[in-house]
Amino acid sequence: MNELDQFIKHKLHVKHYARYTDDFAIVSSDRSYLKALIEPISIFLGDHLALSLHPKKVSIWKLHQGVDFLGYIAFPHHRLVRTKTRRRMFKKLWQRTKEYQEREIDKITFEQSLQSYLGVLSHADTYQLREKLLNEFWVS
């Protein structure tokens, strides 16, 4: 993916670009500029890396809607956890709670799962969500 980074930064001269593994985001105030980048990036991925852009995951959003990136919605001055991520988190914790109650996992394993999700939440503005998680899933 370094080749993609080099292409975007040095050939397309994109200033506001971020990538983590196979997810990337480009930020600009010019919608037509963003639309114009899709084709050359798609061609580069196909020709040089045998990859393609996922048609349902390429989107252009207004800044006030936030940037959906790595399970978070990033705004200029804060970050939220994506709704789908939050739902998945609660679903899995309810499953872990059931496993703990049925003695399929021990307390340490359950608490490690809880702490892992609290770690994910620590990267966003989620005070109330963390409190809810602790109130619903804390095991004494």
Side-chain angles (χ1 to χ4, degrees):
M1 294 299 284
N2 178 54
E3 295 90 348
L4 175 65
D5 298 338
Q6 298 302 319
F7 175 73
I8 289 177
K9 294 300 279 181
H10 300 294
K11 298 283 188 224
L12 298 179
H13 306 288
V14 172
K15 285 187 179 183
H16 305 290
Y17 165 74
R19 182 184 61 79
Y20 183 79
T21 61
D22 63 345
D23 289 338
F24 66 91
I26 299 172
V27 179
S28 173
S29 59
D30 185 349
R31 186 177 188 85
S32 60
Y33 168 72
L34 293 171
K35 283 183 178 181
L37 289 174
I38 296 170
E39 186 177 352
I41 291 171
S42 183
I43 291 169
F44 178 84
L45 286 170
D47 291 351
H48 293 86
L49 301 175
L51 298 172
S52 62
L53 294 173
H54 192 291
K56 293 184 178 180
K57 294 185 178 182
V58 175
S59 57
I60 298 175
W61 296 65
K62 294 185 186 243
L63 193 57
H64 74 273
Q65 294 172 307
V67 176
D68 186 347
F69 190 60
L70 302 177
Y72 300 94
I73 306 295
F75 295 91
H77 302 289
H78 69 286
R79 210 175 354 218
L80 300 174
V81 175
R82 185 190 304 145
T83 302
K84 185 176 178 180
T85 303
R86 189 172 57 237
R87 285 185 186 135
R88 186 178 326 117
M89 188 179 305
F90 274 85
K91 181 180 178 184
K92 290 199 180 218
L93 277 170
W94 280 117
Q95 178 183 348
R96 295 303 256 175
T97 300
K98 182 180 175 194
E99 291 169 353
Y100 174 69
Q101 290 169 343
E102 294 175 357
R103 302 195 188 285
E104 294 174 19
I105 61 171
D106 61 9
K107 183 178 179 180
I108 292 171
T109 302
F110 176 81
E111 287 179 349
Q112 287 173 338
S113 294
L114 179 61
Q115 290 301 320
S116 175
Y117 287 120
L118 289 170
V120 169
L121 295 177
S122 73
H123 297 286
D125 300 312
T126 57
Y127 175 79
Q128 291 178 340
L129 186 57
R130 283 181 292 178
E131 290 296 306
K132 180 179 179 181
L133 208 66
L134 287 171
N135 287 331
E136 285 191 34
F137 296 107
W138 196 257
V139 176
S140 54

